[in-house]
Amino acid sequence: LLTRTSLPIKHSTTTKQPNQTMSSSNGIQKTDPMIRLVQIFSAKLVLEVFGGAGAIWGFSEALTLRTPDTIWFWRPCALFFGFVFFIRWTKQIQDYLDEVYSGKSVERLNAMVRLVQIFSAKLVLEVFGGAGAIWGFSEAVTLRNPDTVWFWRPCALTFGVIFFVRWLMQIQDYLVEVKYNETVDRLAAKAGETEELCCTTSDEELSENGLSYNSIRAA
């Protein structure tokens, strides 16, 4: 769960102070890095930290696992996940600051390690969170009550299933992309022009070697 997903930061060729507002070539002003930090990570605090704990809390009730008799277990469980996502949130802030002020990029991890980091977080935030969002919001707007639980429970679980299928498809796409990139890297190494090929290799160039994105996916 402690995936440290950094955000792409484009560095200007001219040196500017961190508190200055920068202008891009098309005249659109770029937001100050610290203002951008507040914008990004205040949203992440709500959606991923509070949302991580809320996803476990709401989804457990939607599944009828959380009852007055089991609340002693699910409360610390939900808070534990909230704490894990809080640590993840602080590490993401650290990575953001490192990239903005020192230009250091996050160390590239093994593809399978990265898969576990990304999709364990997505499972909680998007699958459990998707079902928990319907379950919790329906109650917040007074649509869910003891007389309408029969409707909202299957409704919430249906959204959970939809997001679970979406999660599986994202994993499949990730694995295809990893395989595709590995193929490009092998061709680059073979040609002895790694840097140029990584930037310019297209499906047409791969097809000359009997490869394509679709053929890799089919494999």
Side-chain angles (χ1 to χ4, degrees), residues 184 193-202 205:
V184 171
E193 299 173 339
T194 305
E195 187 171 340
E196 181 181 352
L197 192 59
C198 285
C199 297
T200 62
T201 299
S202 63
E205 291 170 319

